[in-house]
């Protein structure tokens, strides 16, 4: 499936004959819901092109005796609280429906992500739940899975190049509300630390930041924005923002680790938090309450994201959600106000 000589799929037949995937499926099952002429045309095409159906997927959808109820899960890095909480939600929802999970880390590397997709396919998992790696900018490996009839659900970092099911948090409104809170508590020069813009979540959070400034009549200052999404980089670059005559009075960071890096750096510089500098993160992991002062942050509700992703995947496998329908669900965030803001 993952090679160029990939076997023919129902989606290929549908495209060649100008019909829907559902019509092809019914024709191959000799369903009387479509005309005999169309059934014969589709069946003949399938025979001529040596079509082999995905028997595993079919048996999972239609048999009470299900041979392999295993879901493949790809996470970028397990060390992050958010991804581990999502994994908890996936596992709990899967177990409740009699499924097991097989978990692997991409390590934020495109090449490893491609190999994992191949490995999961060869292991005959019944579907895959994935958050793409930071440096993934080509999507053929995901498209080939989908074309082969493997149910695919994205979470958090979604792949806009493939029309697949997805679960995300409302990143835009989470950022908008966080920056609005900073402004409403007196902040006027708000720095933004975010991820590379090839990720949809990075675009949404950055747009939420900019629109909150616009709504409150504050200018967008490019000099106050940085590509920075980890603690190490935050500790390294934060002092640079205070070198000039004007400097930030607050920070909004794309995740909690980055926010905590900012917090410890400005404290070492002799600045008081939140009297001199306000800081807001995005995650609400365990580290948010282990720093001093405790971190104001946007709660992402990772367990809920995982539950929704598993629920959709199982729906695709069991046929309650059609494979050719991309299910899109949004999990609402909420702002948790603690000691790093006024």
């Amino acid at each position: 499936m993952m090679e160029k000589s990939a076997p023919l799929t129902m989606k290929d037949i549908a495209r060649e004959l100008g019909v829907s995937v559902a019509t092809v499926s019914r024709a191959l099952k000799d369903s009387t819901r479509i005309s005999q002429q169309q059934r014969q045309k589709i069946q003949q095409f399938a025979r001529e092109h040596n079509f082999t159906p995905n028997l595993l997927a079919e048996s999972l959808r239609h048999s009470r005796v299900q041979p392999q109820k295993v879901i493949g899960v790809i996470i970028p890095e397990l060390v992050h609280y958010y991804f581990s909480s999502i994994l908890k939600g996936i596992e709990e929802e899967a177990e409740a429906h009699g499924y097991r999970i097989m978990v692997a880390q991409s390590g934020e590397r495109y090449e490893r992500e491609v190999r994992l997709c191949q490995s999961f396919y060869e292991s005959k998992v019944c579907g895959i739940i994935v958050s793409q790696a930071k440096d993934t900018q080509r999507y053929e490996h995901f498209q080939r899975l989908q074309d082969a009839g493997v149910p695919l659900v994205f979470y958090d970092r979604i792949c806009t190049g493939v029309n697949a099911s997805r679960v995300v948090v409302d990143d835009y409104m989470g950022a908008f509300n966080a920056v609005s809170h900073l402004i409403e508590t007196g902040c006027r020069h708000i720095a933004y630390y975010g991820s590379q813009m090839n990720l949809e979540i990075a675009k949404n959070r950055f747009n939420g930041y900019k629109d909150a400034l616009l709504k409150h009549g504050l200018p967008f200052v490019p000099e106050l924005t940085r590509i920075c999404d980890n603690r190490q980089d935050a500790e390294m670059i934060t002092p640079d923002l205070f070198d000039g005559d004007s400097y930030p009075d607050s920070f909004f960071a794309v995740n909690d680790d980055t926010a905590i890096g900012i917090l410890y750096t400005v404290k070492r510089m002799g600045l008081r938090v939140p009297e001199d500098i306000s800081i807001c993160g995005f995650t609400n992991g365990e580290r948010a309450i282990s720093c001093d002062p405790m971190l104001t942050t946007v709660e992402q509700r990772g367990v809920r994201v995982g539950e929704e992703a598993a629920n959709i995947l199982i729906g695709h496998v069991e046929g309650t959600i059609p494979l050719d329908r991309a299910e899109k669900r949004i999990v609402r965030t909420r702002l948790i106000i603690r000691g790093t803001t006024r």
Side-chain angles (χ1 to χ4, degrees):
M1 155 276 198
M2 300 299 288
E3 305 297 331
K4 290 185 178 178
S5 57
L8 190 72
T9 68
M10 285 194 288
K11 188 173 181 178
D12 295 328
I13 299 174
R15 183 171 56 247
E16 289 292 329
L17 299 182
V19 297
S20 69
V21 175
T23 297
V24 173
S25 177
R26 292 182 185 123
L28 295 176
K29 296 171 187 170
D30 211 28
S31 170
T32 56
R33 294 178 63 182
I34 58 176
S35 69
Q36 183 178 358
Q37 180 181 4
Q38 194 165 38
R39 291 203 307 271
Q40 291 174 344
K41 178 182 177 181
I42 293 171
Q43 289 169 3
Q44 181 178 352
F45 184 93
R47 284 194 300 272
E48 290 174 351
H49 292 82
N50 299 316
F51 171 72
T52 302
N54 186 333
L55 298 178
L56 174 65
E58 287 298 303
S59 63
L60 281 170
R61 281 193 287 272
H62 302 293
S63 173
R64 283 185 175 273
V65 182
Q66 299 174 329
Q68 182 157 316
K69 299 176 71 172
V70 178
I71 299 169
V73 181
I74 300 176
I75 60 175
E77 288 186 318
L78 189 56
V79 294
H80 293 301
Y81 170 84
Y82 182 53
F83 290 128
S84 63
S85 63
I86 289 174
L87 186 59
K88 178 182 178 182
I90 293 173
E91 187 168 31
E92 289 178 351
E93 184 72 8
E95 185 178 1
H97 289 82
Y99 288 76
R100 295 182 293 114
I101 65 172
M102 184 184 298
V103 183
Q105 299 181 74
S106 69
E108 301 287 15
R109 301 196 305 274
Y110 164 77
E111 294 82 3
R112 178 165 173 77
E113 183 178 86
V114 173
R115 291 197 300 270
L116 289 174
C117 287
Q118 173 74 39
S119 177
F120 278 156
Y121 179 80
E122 292 173 352
S123 298
K124 300 190 183 301
V125 297
C126 61
I128 297 174
I129 299 174
V130 56
S131 179
Q132 73 176 55
K134 283 181 184 177
D135 65 351
T136 295
Q137 298 188 44
R138 296 176 56 191
Y139 312 117
E140 294 92 339
H141 54 304
F142 294 139
Q143 188 62 59
R144 286 193 290 264
L145 284 170
Q146 196 172 49
D147 290 347
V150 178
L152 191 62
V153 179
F154 289 95
Y155 66 91
D156 189 51
R157 302 179 193 162
I158 62 173
C159 174
T160 57
V162 175
N163 186 30
S165 293
R166 60 196 60 180
V167 181
V168 296
V169 300
D170 56 342
D171 293 292
Y172 172 87
M173 283 307 301
F176 182 91
N177 291 335
V179 176
S180 294
H181 167 68
L182 291 171
I183 296 169
E184 289 160 4
T185 54
C187 300
R188 292 296 178 266
H189 305 284
I190 305 169
Y192 174 83
Y193 283 13
S195 301
Q196 295 284 351
M197 287 298 180
N198 64 302
L199 298 173
E200 199 69 14
I201 62 169
K203 296 176 187 175
N204 290 337
R205 292 178 194 179
F206 181 64
N207 288 335
Y209 161 77
K210 285 178 58 177
D211 286 354
L213 296 176
L214 179 65
K215 180 187 176 184
H216 293 85
L218 296 180
F220 167 65
V221 181
E223 291 76 18
L224 290 178
T225 66
R226 295 288 189 277
I227 299 299
C228 175
D229 60 6
N230 61 78
R231 177 172 179 169
Q232 181 179 359
D233 288 348
E235 292 183 357
M236 180 176 63
I237 69 175
T238 296
D240 296 341
L241 272 71
F242 295 87
D243 281 346
D245 294 331
S246 61
Y247 50 82
D249 58 14
S250 53
F251 290 81
F252 172 64
V254 73
N255 57 47
D256 285 356
D257 279 351
T258 303
I260 291 169
I262 297 167
L263 170 62
Y264 281 94
T265 301
V266 297
K267 286 175 67 177
R268 284 199 303 268
M269 295 170 63
L271 297 166
R272 298 169 301 165
V273 179
E275 292 84 358
D276 301 321
I277 301 289
S278 290
I279 303 168
C280 183
F282 206 114
T283 300
N284 195 34
E286 293 176 355
R287 295 177 186 175
I289 57 173
S290 62
C291 54
D292 180 28
M294 290 191 289
L295 185 68
T296 293
T297 187
V298 178
E299 184 177 45
Q300 289 182 272
R301 300 175 62 203
V303 172
R304 184 62 180 166
V305 171
E307 289 171 348
E308 292 286 354
N311 180 266
I312 294 172
L313 193 285
I314 293 167
H316 282 315
V317 170
E318 297 183 350
T320 57
I321 302 175
L323 268 178
D324 56 357
R325 187 178 92 199
E327 185 83 357
K328 299 175 183 178
R329 297 182 189 173
I330 297 175
V331 175
R332 302 297 173 192
T333 59
R334 64 173 181 150
L335 181 65
I336 308 296
I337 299 172
R338 297 194 181 100
T340 56
T341 55
R342 301 165 196 157

